[in-house]
Amino acid sequence: MDNSSEDSSQQQQTESSVKDDQRVYFVPYRWWKEAQDSAPSDGKSATLYAVAPAPSYGAMKLINNIFSPDIAFNLRREEESLSQSQENGEVGVSGRDYALVPGDMWLQALKWHSNSKVAAKNGKSFSATDEDIADVYPLQLRLSVSRETSSLGVRISKKDNTVECFRRAYRIFSVDTEPSRIWDLSGQTALFFSNENNNMIKDSQKQSEQDLLLELQVYGLSDSVKNKAKKDEMSVPYLNGSSLLMNGSGGGITSNLTRSSSSSFSGGSCEAGTLGLTGLQNLGNTCFMNSALQCLAHTPKLVDYFLGDYKREINHDNPLGMKGEIASGFGDLLKKLWAPGASPVAPRTFKVKLSHFAPQFSGFNQHDSQEVLAFLLDGLHEDLNRVKDKPYVEAKDGDDRPDEEIADEYWNYHLARNDSIIVDVCQGQYRSTLVCPVCKKVSITFDPFMYLSLPLPSTSMRSMTLTVIKSGRDLQISTFTITVPKDGKLEDLIRALSTACSLESDETLLVAEIYNNRIIRYLEEPADSLSLIRDGDRLVAYRLHKGTEGAPLVMFTHQQIDEHYIYGKLTSNWKAFGIPLAAHGRVLKGSDVCSLYLQLLVPFLVQNRAQTDEHNFDRSSTEVCTETEPDDKRVNGFPVSIAEENAAEHLDMEFHFYLSDDKAIAKGAEIVMNEPLQSTDIPGRLNVLVNWSPKMVEKYNTSLFSSLPEVFKSGFFGKRPQDSVSLYKCLEAFLKEEPLGPEDMWFCPGCKEHRQATKKLDLWRLPEILVIHLKRFSYSRFIKNKLETYVDFPTHDLDLSSYMAYKDGKSSYRYMLYAISNHYGSMGGGHYTAFVHQGADRWYDFDDSHVSPISKDKIKTSAAYVLFYRRVEET
């Protein structure tokens, strides 16, 4: 057959395939009319609608704009007919006229426009271009019949559409700017005014009692700025002399291309004609589903099964199944993914079915790939269960029989009720042993499993940086970085920091959090969780002497004048600076407070050597070297009564002291040097606010006590030190004996009471396909967290023989990795991809619609979430 005959045959197949396309296309009327004017009229009538704003008045309009940001408008049916408008020559003049056309009419118009563009190119047959394909996107409308029989209410909701589609819809239907009209040539809206409307609502899967969800395929109305990623997803190569076959299934435009050595594949950089390297379009936060589907779609036995005659095994009557919808939807999708030369597939039909039977996955929110995987495996099993009439089976007691006999009995009971390709390939069995802590009763059961959920051992550590200030005669400011358990307590931090700074036996640490140069809280409860401390916090640990009864802890916060311009006017206010300083001291009068503060500031004085010698200060040291008699009583290196030392000579210095609350806000008048201090509200602690004059700011080097690092700062390209654990360690943690939690008490048949028994799991029977879920997401009452632990898993030789409680001598316990579901980012968001093995050492990265090769040494990352292994038979 020559090329022209092939083109003619494929052309006929194209036209035949779109006859079954029941979708409605929303296109510019002018674009459709240009094609229509050059072709014989089919005589189809059209209904004309004027687009009008939805009625809302006064305050209601404001409320609707704030609390209901959806797009709402009315379609008012006009009496003017299509023929009359064409005679008047007014159709599409404004550029705000649109048409609703069925799939065959859209294709005919598309063919006309394409052929007109390529007419000068040797008469090649019709082929949709990349831009034509990428320019089609779905838009969900909710329609309701108004009280007026000639009007339809329309609402476009953010919940029903992706962000990008909703943004485009807002631009199209800006009814407040200029009027627009819609011509319905599909006949879909006319059904709303007939008795058939009731049947449509009944058959709809996503609708309320008041409205019906209608999907439009929008064409020719994209933004001028293209989303390159989306365009890459939808790109379809133009093959030499071959035409494009379109089918309307799946709600998208799927292209079946003849294999060609010159074509690209799946919008990625894969070799041409390679089967199975087809991407899945992201419909809006559906990467979690795409990742799980790609892993299942590359499971060897499942591929062979679903590419064969699987529908004869669909169990439509299983009350636990989905009437075969999940199995048929998955089978149809898998065939598209394995079609020769397939372009990225839009899994809309499958997503609709999934959302119908599992509402938790409806909408466009991000979900968990392991959760959708668990639902799919269970749903496929029930849809394909070969057992039509499940017998009632009651497990018998062990009665001290051999475990091998009991295990086979449990397995046979399970197979009597569950028999499908999923059971054949994916299900194994483990032994569960419960022991009563009181009567020592032992209960052994054998349960099936579809996958193993392995915990990540609690080896996660956290690096924390703190500033330690040693007050008193040897004032020092030092920075220490320590390592503590992520789930540790404050006592773990104190213990690690005490070791790092060589804390003496007569010293203690007081930890405080600093924000905007003020203390906002003290960390004093040893049992407080370290998770309450964020990476961006700034912590100071004050190193204080014990045994300071009668000498309160004085906390000094510094302030200076901050001048800045506001609207051209110079304004000034007091602003805190530097790290608050602390010291114990018996302060009785204002002069005691002043002298204590001046002693703390000694290391920061800016003065020449002569002055340093005169005041016994060593400028090169950060120590206070005040000379006193050996027999003076001291607290933290200071004399008991500092005021009697040399406070008088400093009274002329321009410091002003105020008592403050624990937030460093001044209360009351300024402290008078020779008058007794007022009582403090906090026993054992005195908060003092110190105002600095510009003269004092120049006299001291404040930069020495102004630098305060964050608890953890990775830098622009830096990362946290990564924790690492082997997959075998995760398995050992899963199989470890542990007590049941208080909420999982076991009813002991011996004691006849609920007991907190110990539980031990053992692997008994392994499946051909072993799915391993790494439990990266942890939940507590207040905190949701993702563990970024790097799990070192085998790729070629996962040997589980040493972990088996029973070996039959026939089965192999060695496995090879063939797929990985990855999660990047944080909890509640991030992005899912899949790595898939495609023979030899070839691996591919499936990132939604983009498929590209990836080197074997890059597949092991801390993003690995679900691992897929297949059994390797012993040679």
Side-chain angles (χ1 to χ4, degrees):
M1 183 179 293
D2 57 20
N3 287 342
S4 62
S5 299
E6 288 184 9
D7 292 344
S8 176
S9 174
Q10 292 180 346
Q11 184 85 11
Q12 293 174 2
Q13 294 179 25
T14 301
E15 295 174 354
S16 174
S17 65
V18 298
K19 289 181 180 178
D20 298 328
D21 188 357
Q22 301 298 319
R23 294 170 298 158
V24 179
Y25 288 82
F26 184 82
V27 299
Y29 191 90
R30 181 182 295 170
W31 176 86
W32 178 80
K33 186 174 180 293
E34 287 175 0
Q36 219 39 32
D37 289 344
S38 303
S41 175
D42 57 6
K44 283 193 176 182
S45 61
T47 305
L48 173 61
Y49 293 96
V51 180
S56 57
Y57 308 97
M60 284 304 299
K61 184 172 184 178
L62 178 61
I63 293 173
N64 288 339
N65 290 338
I66 296 175
F67 296 101
S68 181
D70 297 342
I71 303 169
F73 55 89
N74 285 344
L75 295 180
R76 188 176 64 253
R77 188 160 55 176
E78 300 290 329
E79 296 299 328
E80 184 181 16
S81 67
L82 176 62
S83 59
Q84 289 174 334
S85 297
Q86 288 175 331
E87 290 173 2
N88 296 335
E90 297 176 354
V91 174
V93 173
S94 70
R96 299 271 299 167
D97 281 22
Y98 309 102
L100 299 178
V101 297
D104 56 346
M105 294 180 67
W106 174 79
L107 182 65
Q108 291 300 324
L110 185 63
K111 285 173 59 179
W112 182 87
H113 283 280
S114 293
N115 288 334
S116 66
K117 293 177 183 177
V118 299
K121 296 182 180 179
N122 301 324
K124 287 185 178 178
S125 62
F126 161 65
S127 175
T129 65
D130 294 352
E131 289 160 0
D132 291 329
I133 302 299
D135 203 22
V136 178
Y137 60 90
L139 188 62
Q140 306 281 353
L141 278 67
R142 290 189 178 273
L143 304 181
S144 58
V145 180
S146 175
R147 293 181 181 178
E148 305 175 34
T149 57
S150 62
S151 180
L152 279 176
V154 182
R155 183 162 57 87
I156 305 175
S157 174
K158 286 185 177 179
K159 295 180 180 179
D160 297 329
N161 296 278
T162 63
V163 173
E164 179 66 15
C165 290
F166 183 84
R167 184 178 63 81
R168 291 175 173 178
Y170 188 84
R171 189 169 289 119
I172 295 171
F173 297 104
S174 300
V175 295
D176 291 334
T177 56
E178 58 178 304
S180 60
R181 297 184 295 181
I182 296 177
W183 298 85
D184 180 16
L185 292 95
S186 68
Q188 292 291 321
T189 58
L191 297 176
F192 279 78
F193 303 107
S194 67
N195 293 331
E196 296 181 34
N197 181 41
N198 294 332
N199 294 330
M200 290 178 63
I201 293 180
K202 182 178 179 180
D203 294 339
S204 177
Q205 294 179 353
K206 290 183 67 178
Q207 61 92 47
S208 65
E209 295 180 0
Q210 293 81 21
D211 53 32
L212 173 69
L213 191 64
L214 176 66
E215 179 175 284
L216 302 182
Q217 304 298 319
V218 182
Y219 174 78
L221 295 166
S222 292
D223 299 351
S224 58
V225 180
K226 297 285 185 182
N227 184 328
K228 184 180 183 300
K230 180 160 183 141
K231 185 172 179 180
D232 288 343
E233 291 177 9
M234 305 286 295
S235 62
V236 180
Y238 180 83
L239 303 183
N240 296 330
S242 64
S243 62
L244 182 64
L245 298 179
M246 297 186 181
N247 68 67
S249 61
I253 300 175
T254 306
S255 307
N256 301 316
L257 300 177
T258 306
R259 294 176 68 171
S260 167
S261 60
S262 62
S263 66
S264 61
F265 196 75
S266 287
S269 53
C270 303
E271 57 267 30
T274 306
L275 294 177
L277 298 183
T278 305
L280 286 167
Q281 294 176 24
N282 193 320
L283 307 179
N285 277 334
T286 55
C287 58
F288 74 96
M289 180 183 76
N290 293 349
S291 175
L293 285 173
Q294 291 290 10
C295 293
L296 286 181
H298 289 83
T299 298
K301 286 288 182 71
L302 293 185
V303 174
D304 296 340
Y305 179 83
F306 280 99
L307 292 181
D309 187 18
Y310 71 93
K311 291 191 176 181
R312 61 186 176 84
E313 289 196 341
I314 291 181
N315 189 342
H316 295 280
D317 302 321
N318 185 357
L320 299 179
M322 288 79 179
K323 305 185 185 304
E325 292 291 327
I326 292 296
S328 61
F330 178 77
D332 292 344
L333 184 61
L334 190 139
K335 287 181 178 178
K336 293 178 184 179
L337 293 176
W338 284 87
S343 63
V345 177
R348 291 193 181 90
T349 300
F350 183 81
K351 175 67 162 59
V352 169
K353 291 182 178 182
L354 176 68
S355 301
H356 177 66
F357 292 104
Q360 65 269 30
F361 300 121
S362 62
F364 298 102
N365 292 326
Q366 184 67 278
H367 295 281
D368 191 318
S369 69
Q370 188 272 331
E371 291 179 0
V372 75
L373 173 68
F375 174 82
L376 288 178
L377 288 175
D378 187 64
L380 291 173
H381 160 63
E382 296 295 352
D383 272 0
L384 299 168
N385 198 345
R386 304 179 186 110
V387 179
K388 308 299 182 183
D389 185 15
K390 295 185 177 182
Y392 173 74
V393 178
E394 185 175 356
K396 299 177 182 178
D397 191 68
D399 295 330
D400 297 326
R401 290 180 293 161
D403 283 353
E404 294 84 351
E405 181 181 337
I406 302 173
D408 289 342
E409 188 176 86
Y410 270 86
W411 188 247
N412 291 330
Y413 288 161
H414 176 66
L415 295 182
R417 296 172 57 85
N418 303 276
D419 183 17
S420 69
I421 180 65
I422 303 300
V423 174
D424 297 342
V425 174
C426 300
Q427 287 197 352
Q429 186 183 37
Y430 58 71
R431 179 178 65 187
S432 176
T433 304
L434 292 170
V435 180
C436 176
V438 178
C439 69
K440 305 303 179 183
K441 168 70 178 177
V442 178
S443 173
I444 297 177
T445 57
F446 293 84
D447 302 307
F449 66 84
M450 197 93 72
Y451 50 86
L452 298 177
S453 288
L454 305 187
L456 302 187
S458 182
T459 58
S460 299
M461 303 298 286
R462 178 183 183 186
S463 295
M464 301 181 71
T465 299
L466 292 87
T467 298
V468 177
I469 299 180
K470 183 176 182 180
S471 300
R473 184 172 182 272
D474 301 322
L475 190 144
Q476 297 173 349
I477 299 179
S478 309
T479 300
F480 294 92
T481 299
I482 57 175
T483 301
V484 293
K486 277 186 178 179
D487 57 353
K489 296 179 173 55
L490 180 63
E491 59 187 355
D492 298 316
L493 182 149
I494 297 295
R495 187 181 305 112
L497 188 59
S498 299
T499 302
C501 71
S502 302
L503 194 71
E504 301 290 344
S505 58
D506 62 341
E507 292 179 316
T508 185
L509 292 175
L510 174 64
V511 181
E513 180 182 347
I514 310 297
Y515 181 74
N516 284 343
N517 304 107
R518 300 173 187 265
I519 295 175
I520 60 171
R521 64 167 174 153
Y522 294 96
L523 285 68
E524 298 180 280
E525 289 295 331
D528 280 353
S529 173
L530 294 182
S531 62
L532 299 175
I533 301 174
R534 300 166 299 181
D535 285 351
D537 293 344
R538 301 175 190 271
L539 301 184
V540 170
Y542 296 99
R543 186 170 175 174
L544 306 170
H545 282 275
K546 298 178 182 178
T548 55
E549 296 80 4
L553 178 64
V554 185
M555 306 296 303
F556 292 100
T557 303
H558 332 285
Q559 285 191 147
Q560 63 181 347
I561 289 291
D562 178 41
E563 295 183 340
H564 53 275
Y565 286 88
I566 299 180
Y567 300 114
K569 182 179 180 181
L570 182 63
T571 60
S572 61
N573 62 297
W574 289 102
K575 183 178 180 180
F577 73 95
I579 306 172
L581 300 178
H584 280 287
R586 292 202 177 103
V587 287
L588 305 176
K589 298 183 297 185
S591 54
D592 295 335
V593 173
C594 178
S595 293
L596 180 61
Y597 187 61
L598 293 175
Q599 292 281 4
L600 291 174
L601 294 182
V602 165
F604 313 116
L605 271 171
V606 179
Q607 48 188 331
N608 56 39
R609 174 61 91 181
Q611 290 174 317
T612 302
D613 294 339
E614 180 181 350
H615 290 87
N616 300 313
F617 297 148
D618 183 358
R619 190 180 179 189
S620 64
S621 173
T622 59
E623 298 181 355
V624 178
C625 302
T626 304
E627 295 294 338
T628 57
E629 295 299 324
D631 58 349
D632 281 346
K633 294 183 178 180
R634 293 177 172 272
V635 175
N636 273 355
F638 295 131
V640 172
S641 180
I642 305 169
E644 297 176 0
E645 283 271 324
N646 54 0
E649 63 180 290
H650 298 294
L651 294 183
D652 58 340
M653 291 189 177
E654 299 182 29
F655 287 118
H656 300 275
F657 300 88
Y658 300 85
L659 290 179
S660 68
D661 57 17
D662 55 353
K663 305 297 183 185
I665 298 176
K667 56 178 185 179
E670 180 180 353
I671 295 175
V672 180
M673 291 296 100
N674 295 319
E675 293 186 6
L677 292 176
Q678 300 175 1
S679 61
T680 177
D681 296 333
I682 307 174
R685 190 172 298 164
L686 189 69
N687 296 302
V688 177
L689 187 64
V690 186
N691 288 352
W692 287 51
S693 68
K695 179 180 177 181
M696 291 297 100
V697 173
E698 294 177 0
K699 190 169 183 178
Y700 291 89
N701 187 354
T702 58
S703 63
L704 296 177
F705 62 95
S706 294
S707 177
L708 190 60
E710 296 178 358
V711 167
F712 179 83
K713 188 173 182 64
S714 60
F716 191 75
F717 295 104
K719 293 184 178 179
R720 274 188 175 279
Q722 196 172 52
D723 301 319
S724 178
V725 65
S726 73
L727 184 64
Y728 293 111
K729 290 293 183 182
C730 298
L731 183 61
E732 290 167 7
F734 174 74
L735 300 176
K736 182 179 65 175
E737 183 180 58
E738 58 184 2
L740 296 176
E743 66 281 359
D744 296 322
M745 302 283 276
W746 171 61
F747 184 79
C748 175
C751 301
K752 305 298 182 184
E753 291 185 20
H754 285 89
R755 300 293 187 188
Q756 194 171 355
T758 57
K759 183 177 182 178
K760 174 76 168 68
L761 295 178
D762 296 290
L763 299 179
W764 193 267
R765 179 181 275 107
L766 293 181
E768 183 172 340
I769 299 297
L770 180 62
V771 181
I772 297 178
H773 164 226
L774 303 176
K775 298 172 70 174
R776 291 197 176 276
F777 300 114
S778 61
Y779 305 85
S780 65
R781 184 176 178 183
F782 302 105
I783 299 173
K784 297 178 181 179
N785 186 39
K786 180 191 174 185
L787 300 176
E788 298 287 352
T789 304
Y790 174 82
V791 178
D792 187 10
F793 48 85
T795 57
H796 276 96
D797 188 16
L798 174 64
D799 186 1
L800 300 179
S801 56
S802 60
Y803 297 94
M804 298 300 298
Y806 168 73
K807 300 178 184 178
D808 58 10
K810 303 176 183 178
S811 302
S812 169
Y813 305 109
R814 308 177 86 90
Y815 287 83
M816 174 183 289
L817 185 73
Y818 71 89
I820 308 171
S821 176
N822 301 301
H823 178 267
Y824 300 91
S826 59
M827 250 190 97
H831 182 60
Y832 287 91
T833 67
F835 295 156
V836 173
H837 181 237
Q838 196 77 354
D841 284 332
R842 296 194 306 273
W843 283 82
Y844 290 89
D845 179 7
F846 287 75
D847 187 356
D848 288 330
S849 59
H850 185 75
V851 182
S852 58
I854 184 173
S855 60
K856 179 184 172 183
D857 58 351
K858 292 183 178 180
I859 65 172
K860 294 168 71 169
T861 70
S862 59
Y865 184 41
V866 184
L867 308 175
F868 292 77
Y869 285 92
R870 62 179 179 86
R871 176 182 285 146
V872 178
E873 297 299 334
E874 299 285 357
T875 58

